[in-house]
Amino acid sequence: MKTKFTMYILLLLITSSVFAQTENLQKNIEQILSGKKATVGIAIYGEESKDILNINGNAHFPMQSVFKFHIALAVLNEVDKGNLKLNQKIFIPKEQLLPDTWSPIRDKYPNGNCKVKLSEIIKYTVADSDNNGCDILLRLIGGTKTVNDYIHSIGVSDVAIQVNEEEMHLDWDAQFKNWTTPLAAIGLLEIFYSGKLLTKESYNFLWTIMAETSTGGNRIKGQLPKGTVVAHKTGTSGTSKDGVTAAINDIGIVVLPNGKHFTISVFVSDSKENNAVNEKIISDVSKLAWDYCVQREK
């Protein structure tokens, strides 16, 4: 059932437009994007000013590993309902630790056939973007449909989650079945940040994991002051034979010096730029958003 809070956020996002104060920010971002051989989707929401800026905010972008945030929310919902426990041990057969994919879990437990705490699997999946961990969690809660239905049930409808990591690795086109809009991404972040979606224990657990995320250091966090708290989730595709990168993404919550925050999602898709350029697009946008929000504090 949609809560009043989620309905409020959705209404805010649906009716959002660039406020007068953000015109310069938008112009500066458009300058960054000018000449780039990529399609970029951006959404930024500032708690301090209540301003929302978006560029291609309602377009569909492939998520890649960004959807591991959605999966973590769905798993923790099952924890909060008492169907799962963070300290319970999950049996992982060796055949589920696929060899040709990114998987710190497999590196730690190369022989499989082991029991691993659910909390550890979630940490590997979100903070380290473990692909095997992702699919283990999906099997545990009933697959992608469970996650898709849960995210829709809390009021975020501009999202589709239809395939797992193994399926994306087998078929280049499969990744496009998992999509979100940039506005839906910050809407979900705001719903999470409200503290009304999960229990305090589950919220604190996931917040800590996202703040300790090891991937994407050159994206949202790349140009922010050292020590800035950023709770985020990245997504990264491979590059096709014709040199097109489908997804270099990052979504997150950035804590400002005054304790307020802004949420940001940047999706770089269909890019013929190299990864360094793609990541710099994200860090440039994040730095501009930071400067804007800090200035609004004064």
Side-chain angles (χ1 to χ4, degrees):
M1 182 179 294
K2 298 180 179 66
T3 66
K4 290 182 180 179
F5 180 82
T6 59
M7 290 300 293
Y8 166 74
I9 287 293
L10 289 172
L11 180 62
L12 187 64
L13 297 182
I14 291 168
T15 60
S16 68
S17 60
V18 178
F19 288 71
Q21 298 96 321
T22 64
E23 287 181 358
N24 287 337
L25 175 59
Q26 172 134 356
K27 289 178 182 176
N28 289 336
I29 291 175
E30 288 173 346
Q31 287 179 357
I32 289 171
L33 303 183
S34 178
K36 298 296 190 301
K37 293 174 286 186
T39 301
V40 182
I42 298 167
I44 302 167
Y45 172 71
E47 178 187 14
E48 190 77 52
S49 62
K50 299 296 187 286
D51 290 347
I52 293 181
L53 178 150
N54 79 86
I55 295 173
N56 295 322
N58 290 306
H60 295 187
F61 288 86
M63 286 191 283
Q64 278 289 335
S65 289
V66 165
F67 85 138
K68 292 168 184 170
F69 170 55
H70 303 62
I71 293 168
L73 290 175
V75 172
L76 290 172
N77 177 59
E78 294 301 315
V79 171
D80 290 345
K81 291 193 298 185
N83 297 329
L84 296 170
K85 294 182 179 180
L86 285 174
N87 64 357
Q88 80 178 78
K89 291 190 174 181
I90 308 300
F91 179 73
I92 302 177
K94 185 173 183 178
E95 58 266 24
Q96 289 185 6
L97 297 177
L98 303 181
D100 298 321
T101 192
W102 170 252
S103 182
I105 291 178
R106 182 198 58 235
D107 296 342
K108 183 175 181 180
Y109 304 101
N111 296 318
N113 297 321
C114 55
K115 291 185 177 181
V116 181
K117 284 185 178 181
L118 176 60
S119 59
E120 185 177 354
I121 299 172
I122 297 172
K123 287 178 182 178
Y124 273 119
T125 300
V126 178
D128 299 319
S129 211
D130 192 295
N131 292 330
N132 285 325
C134 170
D135 288 357
I136 290 166
L137 293 177
L138 285 172
R139 292 186 191 98
L140 185 65
I141 61 172
T144 54
K145 185 177 186 302
T146 299
V147 180
N148 192 71
D149 290 349
Y150 172 68
I151 299 300
H152 288 185
S153 77
I154 62 175
V156 181
S157 57
D158 286 337
V159 174
I161 298 172
Q162 299 183 31
V163 295
N164 63 21
E165 283 287 355
E166 182 178 3
E167 291 168 320
M168 283 193 282
H169 279 74
L170 293 173
D171 179 5
W172 172 266
D173 292 332
Q175 66 185 301
F176 300 101
K177 295 180 180 179
N178 289 346
W179 58 264
T180 186
T181 68
L183 283 170
I186 65 167
L188 185 59
L189 289 168
E190 286 293 333
I191 293 168
F192 165 66
Y193 188 76
S194 75
K196 298 177 182 179
L197 186 61
L198 302 173
T199 64
K200 184 177 181 180
E201 180 183 6
S202 291
Y203 172 85
N204 289 340
F205 173 73
L206 184 53
W207 173 269
T208 300
I209 291 173
M210 293 178 69
E212 294 176 351
T213 290
S214 63
T215 59
N218 293 325
R219 299 183 194 181
I220 290 175
K221 296 178 68 174
Q223 298 181 51
L224 301 186
K226 186 176 181 179
T228 299
V229 176
V230 180
H232 67 123
K233 185 69 202 83
T234 58
T236 307
S237 77
T239 301
S240 68
K241 293 179 181 179
D242 55 355
V244 175
T245 301
I248 297 291
N249 309 326
D250 204 1
I251 71 169
I253 303 162
V254 180
V255 180
L256 295 163
N258 67 352
K260 299 290 186 178
H261 77 281
F262 68 88
T263 47
I264 179 171
S265 65
V266 186
F267 295 84
V268 181
S269 186
D270 195 29
S271 178
K272 293 186 178 180
E273 307 288 352
N274 61 43
N275 280 354
V277 172
N278 292 328
E279 291 193 317
K280 191 171 186 300
I281 289 171
I282 297 175
S283 67
D284 283 345
V285 171
S286 177
K287 181 60 164 59
L288 286 172
W290 170 273
D291 291 344
Y292 170 82
C293 289
V294 169
Q295 183 62 37
R296 290 280 288 176
E297 294 178 27
K298 299 177 179 179

